[in-house]
Amino acid sequence: MPTSKEFVTFILDQLAGLPTVRTRAMMGEYVLYYQGKVVGGLYDNRLLVKPMPARIFLQELLKAIAAQLPAPKVKKGK
């Protein structure tokens, strides 16, 4: 399933604070550029980023995402 234009717009809206972010269509999918460098892509309506050794960034990203999600529902015992 190729990436939809709506998904591309959604991602670019989320990254609007970074003025040099752009995408380039490539065979139904999109390459994601920042400051002229390939940083990832949009594939099958998913954002994928290049693997880099910046593990602390990944940890901070997960913490930020988790902070905005609702707490898991408590399962009642059997």
Side-chain angles (χ1 to χ4, degrees), residues 12-77:
L12 290 176
D13 286 347
Q14 300 303 305
L15 300 173
L18 302 172
T20 59
V21 170
R22 67 180 183 87
T23 59
R24 180 174 162 205
M26 188 172 291
M27 299 186 310
E29 305 299 348
Y30 295 83
V31 178
L32 181 65
Y33 294 86
Y34 177 58
Q35 297 181 340
K37 301 173 185 177
V38 175
V39 295
L42 308 176
Y43 307 99
D44 298 327
N45 284 343
R46 295 177 296 158
L47 169 63
L48 301 177
V49 294
K50 290 187 91 168
M52 299 300 294
R55 292 176 61 193
I56 292 174
F57 165 75
L58 182 58
Q59 293 171 18
E60 294 304 315
L61 176 63
L62 291 181
K63 288 177 187 178
I65 291 170
Q68 294 188 25
L69 293 172
K73 293 180 182 178
V74 177
K75 295 180 181 180
K76 296 181 181 180

